[in-house]
Amino acid sequence: MSDVPAGAARLRHCFASAHASGRAALITYHTFGYPTAAVSLECALAAARAGADIIELGVPFSDPSADGPVIVAAMEQALAAGASLHGALAGAAAIAKASPQTGIVLFGYYNPIWIMGPSVFASACRDARVDAVLVVDVPLEELDEISRPLAAHGVGSVPLLAPTSGLDRAAMVASRNAAFTYYISMAGVTGAAAVPVSPARIADLRAATNGPVAVGFGIKTPSDVAALAPHADGVVVGSRLVAEIGAGDPATAAARTGALVTALAAATRRT
Amino acid sequence: MHEPKPVGEATPGRYGAFGGQYVAETLMPALHQLTSAWSAAKADPAYWQLYDRYLRDTVGRPSLLTEAPRLSEALGARLLLKREDLNHTGSHKINNCIGQVLLAKRLGKTRIIAETGAGQHGVATATVCAMFDLPCEIYMGARDVERQQLNVLRMRMLGATVHAVAAGSATLKDALNEALRDWVTNVGHTHYIIGSVAGPHPYPEIVRDLQAVIGREALEQTRQLTGDLPDAAVACVGGGSNAAGLFAPMVPHGEIRLFGVEAAGDGLDTDRHAATISRGVIGVLHGAKSLVLCEREGAAIGQIIEPHSISAGLDYPGVGPEHAYWHATGRVTYLARTDAEALAGMSQLARLEGILCALESAHAVAALPDVIAAVGKGKPIVVNISGRGDKDMHTVAAHLAKESA
């Protein structure tokens, strides 16, 4: 596995550690800059302290065509408050410094990365200790354009698969030394209603991709997490956490995030 | 300038550095399915027979190519107006919708969605859905719903559900985002009729091929009128579908000069315009790599800039990837006209020829002096009148009221 980028190897270690302690890895998503840069980072760190193994930091984009209303609104507010790709990279560096054992994934849309320049971006990711990058609007067909410069700087990439993807597409992931595969649990946008994911489907994807599979989209409650934990390598909770931040005083957002993540983390136990 | 590739380039879905498929994974299998369905339909004479029949019996094709004697005299050229405004539903958009609804039927899809800016594509989509008894949902920016109320009403009368999209700038780009969200959710049974030569492969190709009827007819009609090819052809460019349809059959005729006209809004040197080719940068938006209006540096790097045009149909921060390619190879010259110039062009065509064209098409009319200067006086020039102006009277009234205040 010498070709696996260092960042991807660190994330695989997060999955292996969780597995060794009888858990699925918990991945929490935070829109960087929502409601402010400082509060979003406090919330991410609170999530890490409360048991999140991997932090996904969402980079706000003006045209988030794959996200649902909760994250769209959070991104609009974050951009209005001055959030940026540079800010998100600095935020990732701050999380890495404060919580060195936590995996960090940068999650975003392609245009800001492309305009910065994939190589410049990849090198900034390495400097910020971003472990891997997930770009929602870069499918497997176009992935080399970004995954090659990332790998050259030791940063992993996270391909996505969907309910509509055949196993032939899962096999396309196998040769890519991905950090992990993000399985979108349903045909839909972030934050929609959860649908049950078949354990057999996850097993098939894990076999075909030859690596860890994390399941996201529509996972909101500890019982959603508990249902998936025995079958998936990791579970992702996003919109529910973003909604929690929006539901009350920003001053208590980190405490509320921590309480919610504690409950979600408890549900990742497989026994 | 290197030789432009002919229509039907060697790399599927790529136009030089532009094009591609930059969408969520959920949509990729649907795009693959659409690509093979389009290849099969394109090679099937029965598909084209049906398409031609509907264009003749429903749309009223061929559309006229009209001499414009008074405008020609005023400007010193021989202007031939391609009258897409005379089509059923009032614009060129219906050509594409007929072809795509027939494709949706072949795919067995049972629900249609679309985005619309000025509402012309929405009306055309609602029309074909009524004809083929398919449920239809149209996404339209809330600001465009406001300024194009007549078309909203037409869509509702035709049985479509119109969703006003309040996110972002509440215009065409946001309607496209919302339509993509719907498609991601309902991709199994839903066909998305994209209205322009934008979006992921194979849409730019499908829409160009379906709109190419404009250019084929224009070439034939010009030959009949003048005995020869036109010297030039002019069309407005937002996403670029009417222009791509006019240009595509002419691109191989190197002697025909081609001109696309973008919306300069308040002016190219202001931050209120929609001139993507004149002022854009290579970026990725709505599924394709093309020219886009976005921040190039600083805190907002990569964020899409809200465009501005008096014409809702041109108010878009991207452009079809093939236009970006034609621009890069120099095959097509892209000009830009301001809101005020477009209004003057609209008025000039109305008073000299009795044709009230859409504000979109008025941008092409307004660029004619530059086109004539480039090709020489007295030469035959095809001008695409892509739609009619009834829908814009509200906007014109508001503008005149502001001017006289």
Side-chain angles (χ1 to χ4, degrees):
Chain A
M1 300 284 273
S2 60
D3 293 326
V4 176
R10 278 197 299 273
L11 290 177
R12 289 196 174 192
H13 180 72
C14 292
F15 286 103
S17 300
H19 181 75
S21 53
R23 294 187 298 114
L26 179 63
I27 304 172
T28 58
Y29 167 92
H30 308 267
T31 299
F32 170 76
Y34 175 70
T36 64
V39 173
S40 67
L41 295 179
E42 280 171 29
C43 290
L45 284 170
R49 282 192 301 273
D53 300 283
I54 296 170
I55 297 292
E56 254 181 32
L57 203 54
V59 181
F61 181 50
S62 52
D63 292 76
S65 55
D67 279 293
V70 169
I71 291 178
V72 169
M75 284 187 173
E76 282 185 3
Q77 190 172 332
L79 287 171
S84 66
L85 178 53
H86 297 288
L89 285 161
I95 295 168
K97 194 173 171 202
S99 188
Q101 80 291 351
T102 305
I104 300 174
V105 174
L106 215 60
F107 179 113
Y109 290 81
Y110 192 32
N111 197 54
I113 294 168
W114 163 259
I115 296 293
M116 181 181 275
S119 277
V120 174
F121 169 75
S123 130
C125 283
R126 179 200 56 208
D127 295 347
R129 214 225 75 195
V130 167
D131 297 315
V133 174
L134 183 162
V135 192
V136 192
D137 54 350
V138 177
L140 294 163
E141 281 75 359
E142 317 281 2
L143 189 62
D144 285 350
E145 204 173 301
I146 179 72
S147 68
R148 283 188 180 149
L150 285 171
H153 289 88
V155 182
S157 45
V158 181
L160 294 112
L161 291 172
T164 51
S165 316
L167 286 180
D168 55 327
R169 295 184 64 76
M172 289 167 71
V173 173
S175 58
R176 292 177 173 272
N177 293 317
F180 63 96
T181 298
Y182 190 122
Y183 180 60
I184 302 166
S185 67
M186 64 193 166
V189 293
T190 52
V195 289
V197 181
S198 119
R201 172 73 171 164
I202 301 171
D204 286 348
L205 292 175
R206 193 195 275 122
T209 59
N210 194 28
V213 172
V215 181
F217 278 43
I219 298 160
K220 293 183 169 69
T221 64
S223 69
D224 294 340
V225 172
L228 283 167
H231 313 294
D233 297 290
V235 292
V236 189
V237 180
S239 293
R240 175 68 189 86
L241 283 164
V242 176
E244 182 67 30
I245 290 170
D249 184 353
T252 59
R256 286 180 282 123
T257 299
L260 182 54
V261 173
T262 300
L264 296 168
T268 59
R269 297 226 151 266
R270 286 173 174 152
T271 50
Chain B
M1 177 178 131
H2 62 87
E3 196 58 29
K5 282 190 231 172
V7 171
E9 61 291 331
T11 317
R14 290 280 174 183
Y15 306 90
F18 309 105
Q21 296 175 307
Y22 297 87
V23 294
E25 166 66 18
T26 312
L27 297 178
M28 288 305 296
L31 291 177
H32 289 313
Q33 183 195 32
L34 192 58
T35 304
S36 33
W38 181 239
S39 301
K42 238 174 127 163
D44 181 358
Y47 171 83
W48 292 109
Q49 275 165 20
L50 207 53
Y51 170 78
D52 288 343
R53 200 188 86 202
Y54 279 107
L55 288 190
R56 186 191 66 213
D57 296 347
T58 304
V59 179
R61 299 206 76 91
S63 69
L64 295 176
L65 188 76
T66 315
E67 296 268 9
R70 297 189 67 215
L71 186 65
S72 295
E73 193 188 340
L75 297 176
R78 183 173 182 190
L79 300 172
L80 306 172
L81 308 180
K82 185 58 176 159
R83 300 290 306 278
E84 294 299 299
D85 60 314
L86 296 179
N87 291 344
H88 177 47
T89 76
S91 80
H92 69 290
K93 294 290 188 184
I94 189 80
N95 305 329
N96 170 49
C97 289
I98 292 281
Q100 284 208 45
V101 82
L102 294 175
L103 194 58
K105 290 294 237 190
R106 287 173 78 107
L107 285 161
K109 303 282 181 175
T110 55
R111 175 177 177 266
I112 299 290
I113 59 168
E115 87 295 336
T116 195
Q120 289 173 306
H121 176 56
V123 168
T125 304
T127 299
V128 299
C129 288
M131 288 166 59
F132 288 85
D133 190 24
L134 289 166
C136 178
E137 308 211 18
I138 305 288
Y139 292 93
M140 189 166 181
R143 259 171 57 191
D144 292 338
V145 166
E146 200 55 45
R147 56 180 168 172
Q148 299 289 345
Q149 288 171 16
L150 184 61
N151 273 342
V152 174
L153 189 60
R154 290 168 79 199
M155 287 180 255
R156 291 192 171 135
M157 286 296 291
L158 289 160
T161 303
V162 180
H163 300 280
V165 179
S169 55
T171 60
L172 181 53
K173 79 179 178 74
D174 309 289
L176 239 152
N177 291 332
E178 203 57 42
L180 283 169
R181 289 178 194 120
D182 181 314
W183 202 30
V184 165
T185 307
N186 301 297
V187 63
H189 65 293
T190 297
H191 178 67
Y192 178 12
I193 302 189
I194 290 186
S196 198
V197 286
H201 174 67
Y203 279 104
E205 181 188 314
I206 293 176
V207 179
R208 175 202 68 201
D209 290 348
L210 292 171
Q211 293 291 5
V213 64
I214 303 172
R216 284 196 302 272
E217 287 178 4
L219 282 176
E220 177 55 31
Q221 290 164 321
T222 306
R223 276 197 193 98
Q224 284 171 10
L225 278 169
T226 72
D228 204 351
L229 296 172
D231 279 57
V234 192
C236 66
V237 177
S241 71
N242 86 88
L246 180 69
F247 296 165
M250 300 185 181
V251 162
H253 298 281
E255 63 273 38
I256 306 177
R257 299 279 303 272
L258 303 173
F259 296 87
V261 187
E262 300 193 290
D266 288 353
L268 286 184
D269 297 326
T270 72
D271 56 4
R272 278 170 53 82
H273 61 76
T276 312
I277 292 180
S278 305
R279 286 290 184 271
V281 60
I282 300 176
V284 177
L285 179 66
H286 297 144
K289 192 176 280 177
S290 186
L291 292 166
V292 301
L293 296 176
C294 78
E295 300 288 350
R296 297 164 198 223
E297 54 196 4
I301 189 168
Q303 308 295 345
I304 303 302
I305 294 172
E306 288 183 14
H308 163 77
S309 168
I310 192 170
S311 149
L314 302 183
D315 201 355
Y316 182 62
V319 67
E322 195 164 17
H323 282 291
Y325 175 70
W326 284 334
H327 170 69
T329 57
R331 179 64 188 92
V332 179
T333 302
Y334 293 87
L335 310 168
R337 284 296 176 270
T338 63
D339 291 349
E341 288 167 328
L343 279 160
M346 186 188 210
S347 175
Q348 187 181 32
L349 184 66
R351 292 179 185 203
L352 291 179
E353 298 295 345
I355 296 169
L356 202 46
C357 73
L359 274 170
E360 287 81 357
S361 323
H363 286 74
V365 174
L368 286 172
D370 279 6
V371 173
I372 293 163
V375 301
K377 292 260 181 191
K379 302 283 176 54
I381 297 170
V382 173
V383 188
N384 206 24
I385 305 301
S386 55
R388 68 179 189 224
D390 317 33
K391 69 182 177 61
D392 293 316
M393 289 305 103
H394 192 70
T395 306
V396 171
H399 188 86
L400 292 179
K402 210 164 56 184
E403 283 213 320
S404 60

